[in-house]
Amino acid sequence: MKNEKIKFKDRLKDISSGLGDSLKESTLWGSIFRPGSPFRKGYSDSPRNRSYVVMNNVLYHLHPVKVKRHGVRLSYTLCLGGLSFFTFIVLTITGIWLMFYFRPTEMAYVDIQSLQTSIAFGSLVRNMHRWAAHIMVLVVFLHMSRVFYHGAYKAPREFNWVIGVILLLLTLLLSFTGYLLPWDQLAIWAVTVGGNMAGYTPVFGAQVKFALFAGLEATEATLLRFYVLHVLFFPFIIVIFMAIHFWRVRKDGGISGPL
Amino acid sequence: MVDIPEHLLLKTAEARAKALGISVEQALAEMRGEAEPTKIEKEPDVIEVTPIEVEVKETPAPAAEVKETPAPAAVKEAPAPAPEKANGQVPTEVDFAPETKVTQRLLTVVKAKPIQKPTSEPVDKVNTWPHLMLPEFISLMAMTAFLIFISAILQAPLLEEANPNITPNPAKAPWYFLGLQELLSYWDPQIAGVMIPLLIGVAAFMAIPYIDRNKENKPSKRKYAIMLWTFFLAGAGTLSLIGILFRGPGWNWTYPWIDGVWFDDLLDWVHFE
Ligand code: HEM
C-alpha cells in the first residue's frame, strides 16, 4: 500500500514535466493555472496543494476539498451519477455539432441522410449521440437503483430523491423528443404511439394530444415543436435541476453511508 | 461651551451617584461645583455606568478629574461620557486612538454545517484531488472511448422517410416505454386511461422517501424495501423484454428466434452480417 502511494505521488509530479520552464514561468501561464494546480511551475504534491487543486479551481463548485473515504471507492457509487452527468455532457457536445447540419423542416430526413453520407464524421457523431442517449436513460435508471439499494434517499436526502425523479422524467422527455427528429418511419410512429397514450388522459385527452402534436397527428409542426423542446427547453430545465441535485448532495452532508 | 440640557445633567448625576454611593442631589451639587467632591476609595466601574462603544485608553477616572478641577468648567469634562455624547464634544484629555475604535462586534461563530440534520461525528475523509477527481476523469475517458467504439461499429437506425399514411405493424414506442406499452396492452386505455395511472406512478416514486420511515440503511435491516425494489426491477425488465423481443404484428406474441425481431433500434445489431 505504501509503495503504491509513492509511485502515485511521483506520477502526479510528472503531469506537466514535459513542458518547458520558460512557458511555465510566463505571466500568461501563471494567470491561467492558479496556485495548487499541478500544471504550475514548482508544483509539489503536498496535502496543502491537494486542497488548493480543488479550492482554486472552478470545480470547487462541484466538489468539496475532502470527501468520505468510502465514497470514492468505485464499488460504492459505481460512478453512476457521475456517468449520467458525463453522458449528458457528451450529448450536449455532439448535439450542438448535429445542429449545424439539421433543419427541423421537411428537410430533416434529407439532412440526416446527407449527414451520414457526405459530412466528415457525420455518421460517427450521429451514432454517438444516439447511443449516448440510450445509455443515459439506462445509466440514470441504474443510478436510481443504486441509490435505492443503499437507502440513500433517507433523511436528510428525501428531497434529493424527488429531484432525482424529476431528472429521470426530464431524461426520458429529452430522449423522447429527440426520437422524432430523424423524421423516419421509426421516429414518427414511435412518437405517434407515445402521443396517443397521452391522448387517453381523461377529460383533457384531446387537448393534451393537440398540445403535444401541435395538431391532430404527428406532422412537421410537431417536428418543430419537439425540436425546440429537445435542443432548448428540456436541456435548460435539466441543467437547472442537475445544479440543484449536485448542490443538495453536498448540502445533505456529502455521499450517504457507509452502509 | 454649550450648556448641558437639564435632563442629561440629571441622568449623569444619577449615574455618578450610583457609582459613588452618594445621593443624587449631592452628585448634582458636586457637578455644579456647589459641594466638595466626594472622595472615593475604589475606582468607579465606568463600563457598568455608561455603555460606550469606544475603548478609552488611559482615561483618568472621572472622580479624579473632579478632584483636580473643582471649578464649574469641570462639569462638562468630568462626568462619565453620556453628556459628551449628547453634545457631540469630546474632552481633550481623553485619548482616542482611532485604531481602538470598535466598529463591529462578534456576536457568535456560526460553523458551516449541512442544512439538515448535521452529523457531527468525525468521518474518515480523503482529499478530493486526486482520490475522487482522478477516478472521475478516468471514468469520463473510458465512457467516451466506449461510446466512440460502439458508434464506430454499430450504425444508428434510419428507416424510410416518415409517412403518416403507412403505419408499420407493430408500431412500437422507444424501448424504455415498451414495458409500459406491454403493460398497457392488458387493459383498455379508453376505460382505464393512461396518463392518470402514470402520474400516480410518478407521484408514488417521489413519495418513496416519505413512505419508507425505516431509518436503517443496512441491507440486512431493510429486507422488505430491497425485496420490493427487486420485484419492481424484475417486473419492469420482464415486461420490457417482452415488449422489445416477443411482440410482433398486431402486438401478438412472437418468438424472436422463429419470427424474427420486431425492434428497429436493434436493426444494425440483428442484421449484423
Ligand atoms: C440526469 C440524471 C442524474 C444525474 C446527472 C445525477 C447525478 C448524481 C451524482 C453525480 C450524484 C453523486 C453520487 C453518485 O454518483 O452516485 C448523485 C447522487 C444522488 N442522486 Fe442523482 N443523478 C441523476 C438522477 C437521479 C435520479 C433519477 C435519482 C432518484 C430518483 C437520483 C437520486 C440521487 C440521490 C438520492 C443521491 C444521493 C446519493 C447518496 O448520497 O448516496 N438521482 N446524483
Side-chain angles (χ1 to χ4, degrees), chain A residues 59-248:
Chain A
L59 287 173
Y60 197 30
H61 286 285
L62 280 182
H63 283 319
V65 168
K66 288 193 165 192
V67 288
K68 291 178 197 160
R69 188 183 292 277
H70 78 272
V72 301
R73 276 208 305 269
L74 206 58
S75 57
Y76 191 72
T77 66
L78 304 168
C79 205
L80 285 170
L83 285 177
S84 315
F85 185 48
F86 296 158
T87 41
F88 179 74
I89 292 175
V90 170
L91 283 163
T92 308
I93 295 170
T94 52
I96 290 174
W97 192 89
L98 289 173
M99 282 174 75
F100 289 129
Y101 304 103
F102 179 82
R103 284 162 292 181
T105 60
E106 73 269 20
M107 300 302 289
Y109 183 73
V110 179
D111 282 348
I112 298 284
Q113 268 185 331
S114 53
L115 176 81
Q116 297 203 138
T117 51
S118 44
I119 287 159
F121 299 114
S123 200
L124 181 75
V125 177
R126 175 173 179 238
N127 290 349
M128 279 178 75
H129 194 75
R130 194 170 180 107
W131 301 133
H134 289 323
I135 288 173
M136 182 171 171
V137 173
L138 197 68
V139 168
V140 168
F141 188 75
L142 291 177
H143 168 60
M144 185 177 180
S145 295
R146 171 325 257 174
V147 168
F148 188 93
Y149 280 127
H150 283 168
Y153 55 81
K154 302 193 174 187
R157 298 182 177 79
E158 302 102 321
F159 193 64
N160 217 14
W161 170 274
V162 176
I163 292 170
V165 175
I166 295 173
L167 282 173
L168 177 68
L169 285 181
L170 285 168
T171 306
L172 292 177
L173 283 168
L174 269 168
S175 174
F176 185 66
T177 48
Y179 217 82
L180 180 67
L181 301 187
W183 203 239
D184 62 351
Q185 280 291 75
L186 181 57
I188 188 174
W189 287 103
V191 167
T192 302
V193 170
N196 284 341
M197 285 189 186
Y200 293 129
T201 311
V203 190
F204 304 111
Q207 283 86 345
V208 169
K209 200 177 149 188
F210 192 88
L212 199 65
F213 281 165
L216 296 175
E217 51 177 24
T219 61
E220 269 138 32
T222 322
L223 182 60
L224 178 60
R225 179 156 298 194
F226 274 40
Y227 177 75
V228 174
L229 292 176
H230 183 75
V231 305
L232 211 66
F233 183 71
F234 288 134
F236 179 68
I237 304 289
I238 204 172
V239 164
I240 292 176
F241 276 97
M242 279 187 192
I244 303 173
H245 193 63
F246 300 160
W247 179 77
R248 278 302 291 250

Side-chain angles (χ1 to χ4, degrees), chain A residues 8 12 15 38 43 47 50-51 53-54 59 63-69 72 74 79 83 86-87 90 106 109 112-113 116 123-124 126-128 130-132 134-135 137-139 141 144-145 148-151 153-156 158-159 161-162 165-166 169 172 175-176 179 182-186 188-190 193 197-198 200-202 217-218 247-248 251-253 257-259, chain B residues 113-117 123-137 139-140 143-144 146-148 150-152 154-168 171-177 180-181 184 189-190 193-196 202 205-210 212-219 222 225-226 229-230 232-233 236 263-265 268-269:
Chain A
F8 190 48
L12 281 183
I15 277 190
Y43 174 80
R50 285 182 173 199
S51 304
V53 170
V54 182
L59 287 173
H63 283 319
V65 168
K66 288 193 165 192
V67 288
K68 291 178 197 160
R69 188 183 292 277
V72 301
L74 206 58
C79 205
L83 285 177
F86 296 158
T87 41
V90 170
E106 73 269 20
Y109 183 73
I112 298 284
Q113 268 185 331
Q116 297 203 138
S123 200
L124 181 75
R126 175 173 179 238
N127 290 349
M128 279 178 75
R130 194 170 180 107
W131 301 133
H134 289 323
I135 288 173
V137 173
L138 197 68
V139 168
F141 188 75
M144 185 177 180
S145 295
F148 188 93
Y149 280 127
H150 283 168
Y153 55 81
K154 302 193 174 187
E158 302 102 321
F159 193 64
W161 170 274
V162 176
V165 175
I166 295 173
L169 285 181
L172 292 177
S175 174
F176 185 66
Y179 217 82
W183 203 239
D184 62 351
Q185 280 291 75
L186 181 57
I188 188 174
W189 287 103
V193 170
M197 285 189 186
Y200 293 129
T201 311
E217 51 177 24
W247 179 77
R248 278 302 291 250
K251 287 296 160 180
D252 291 340
L259 287 185
Chain B
K113 278 183 192 165
I115 54 173
Q116 292 183 356
K117 295 192 187 156
V123 274
D124 189 11
K125 290 196 168 185
V126 292
N127 271 104
T128 304
W129 170 265
H131 300 292
L132 177 58
M133 278 159 77
L134 229 47
E136 275 181 343
F137 183 71
S139 320
L140 175 60
M143 179 66 145
T144 315
F146 174 69
L147 262 174
I148 293 177
I150 58 165
S151 300
L154 290 178
Q155 184 56 45
L158 187 68
L159 311 187
E160 313 83 63
E161 185 163 10
N163 186 345
N165 302 317
I166 303 174
T167 312
K172 289 190 175 182
W175 62 267
Y176 39 83
F177 286 148
L180 209 60
Q181 200 178 347
L184 294 175
Q190 308 283 4
V194 172
M195 290 313 273
I196 295 299
V202 169
F205 268 101
M206 287 183 174
I208 286 176
Y210 305 98
D212 178 5
R213 303 312 299 166
N214 176 6
K215 289 199 171 55
E216 296 288 340
N217 71 350
K218 292 224 182 332
R222 46 194 298 270
I226 286 179
W229 189 270
T230 309
F232 163 68
L233 283 188
F263 182 61
D264 295 321
D265 272 317
D268 194 50
W269 307 29

